[in-house]
Amino acid sequence: MSQPYDLRDQIDQLESLTGDGTELVTVTVPNGKSLGSIRERIAQEYASAENIKSDQTQDHVQQALKRVQRILRRYERTPENGLVVYAGVVEGELISTAFDDLLTPVAESTYRCDDHFDLTPLIEAVTPNETFGLIVIERGGAAIGRLVGERIIPIQTFESQVMGKSRAGGQSAQRFERDRERQVHEFFQQVGDIATDAFTGNEGTVTGLVVGGTLATAKQFVSDSYLDHRLRNRLLGTYSVEYATVQGLDQLVEKADEQLLDAEQREGRKHLDEFYSRLRNGDLVAYGAEEVERATDFGAVESILIASTVPRDQREELETAVEQQGGNGYVINSDTERGSQFVTAFSGVGALLRFPIK
């Protein structure tokens, strides 16, 4: 399974741990920081722990620091993205873990002794550093949202006041068309203003922007400069989208997936689409943990789909069994609307099969 989902599980586990006092040690080492200087710091902290008044706290802190020293000795140099080490006594047991292959660099060197671990470096590693603006616009309405990772966050949907193509009786064609174009102009301005506030405001300017809708309308909105210049410079493309609704935002992400999603995210969405397509056609699928495990026992699983909310040990067990048979495993992000539906309907476990099972 991909590292971010495993890392989220580990964050949850570490977050649930507390010490009896300030006994849990966090050490972070950015790339470029000498491990020798960190080892010296830990040695100094170990010596200073002799002054702790509580015998239990002193013993627990020194146990944790000894474990940190042992972990640091494994490394000749600081890993590329740095190193994060946790150690401490929890419910009488000394536990420790080290992270040396994070996807994002450790920002700073820290030593902390507290009743909980400092999980900031891990949380930053699973927090998407790219967000994208989504606009779906047609003359009847618009939808604006933000894409964070794979999660679509709707911001606003609204209808326009643009008149339809049929003019009222007695109104001249020229006057009607002038009024209608004025309404279109005002509506486009409104959408542009909302997009500017949403995508360049307090949360910062988005990494990129995609626009969808009736293609002629979307292209007119873009070409006639209704977008703030900061957003025009980040425009990734315009796409034909059927509805200016929350559903349309999801369709826009589907159309622009190569611009917005990484390869692993695209593969997961593609296989989930395939799962639903086969399900509608009564084709080769299995769903629910029990049925998928049974299909795996028969060697029938081509690809397994597992929601990120499924416990890590269960995910790993299912994926390993499928990979041993030449199949593939894909994590489905439960934070998305599609992922949430997959969890609700199928308990977050599904499979594409090579052949039917009885």
Side-chain angles (χ1 to χ4, degrees), residues 339-353:
S340 176
Q341 291 170 349
F342 182 63
V343 171
T344 301
F346 307 107
S347 301
V349 180
L352 308 178
L353 303 183

Side-chain angles (χ1 to χ4, degrees), residues 11 23 86 96 157 188 199 213 228 249 295 319 321:
I11 290 171
E23 305 175 349
Y86 299 108
S96 64
T157 60
F188 282 6
F199 303 144
D228 181 281
L249 295 176
E319 183 196 25

Side-chain angles (χ1 to χ4, degrees), residues 246-262:
V246 172
Q247 179 186 355
L249 295 176
D250 190 71
Q251 187 181 9
L252 177 58
V253 173
E254 290 286 341
K255 292 288 185 73
D257 64 351
E258 290 194 6
Q259 297 282 1
L260 304 177
L261 304 175
D262 63 30

Side-chain angles (χ1 to χ4, degrees), residues 4 35 38 40 60 66 100 103 108 115 151 240 251 270 276 283 286 345:
L35 282 177
I38 299 298
E40 288 179 12
H60 288 179
K66 276 187 178 179
D100 57 13
L103 298 177
E108 58 185 351
D115 64 352
R151 186 160 60 100
S240 175
Q251 187 181 9
K270 183 179 78 173
Y276 281 121
D283 218 338

Side-chain angles (χ1 to χ4, degrees), residues 25 27 35-50 61-62 64-66 68-70 72-73 111:
V25 173
V27 176
L35 282 177
S37 64
I38 299 298
R39 294 188 185 106
E40 288 179 12
R41 170 72 186 277
I42 299 303
Q44 291 169 2
E45 295 293 343
Y46 184 90
S48 298
E50 295 288 349
V61 170
Q62 289 186 321
L65 291 172
K66 276 187 178 179
V68 172
Q69 288 175 321
R70 188 179 306 165
L72 291 176
R73 284 197 292 269
Y111 166 82

Side-chain angles (χ1 to χ4, degrees), residues 106-122:
V106 174
E108 58 185 351
S109 175
T110 61
Y111 166 82
R112 183 164 298 171
C113 195
D114 210 331
D115 64 352
H116 61 277
F117 293 123
D118 180 5
L119 302 175
T120 303
L122 303 189

Side-chain angles (χ1 to χ4, degrees), residues 41 77 96 141 163 211 276 318 347 349 355 357:
R41 170 72 186 277
R77 62 181 64 86
S96 64
M163 295 182 290
V211 178
Y276 281 121
L318 287 168
S347 301
V349 180
F355 52 82
I357 57 173

Side-chain angles (χ1 to χ4, degrees), residues 1-2 264 267-268 271 301-306 315 318-320 322-323 326-332 350:
M1 292 299 171
S2 63
E264 184 175 0
E267 282 296 304
H271 283 81
V301 176
E302 174 186 295
S303 298
I304 187 168
L305 311 177
I306 309 178
R315 289 206 314 262
L318 287 168
E319 183 196 25
T320 299
V322 169
E323 287 183 343
N328 298 302
Y330 300 94
V331 174
I332 305 302

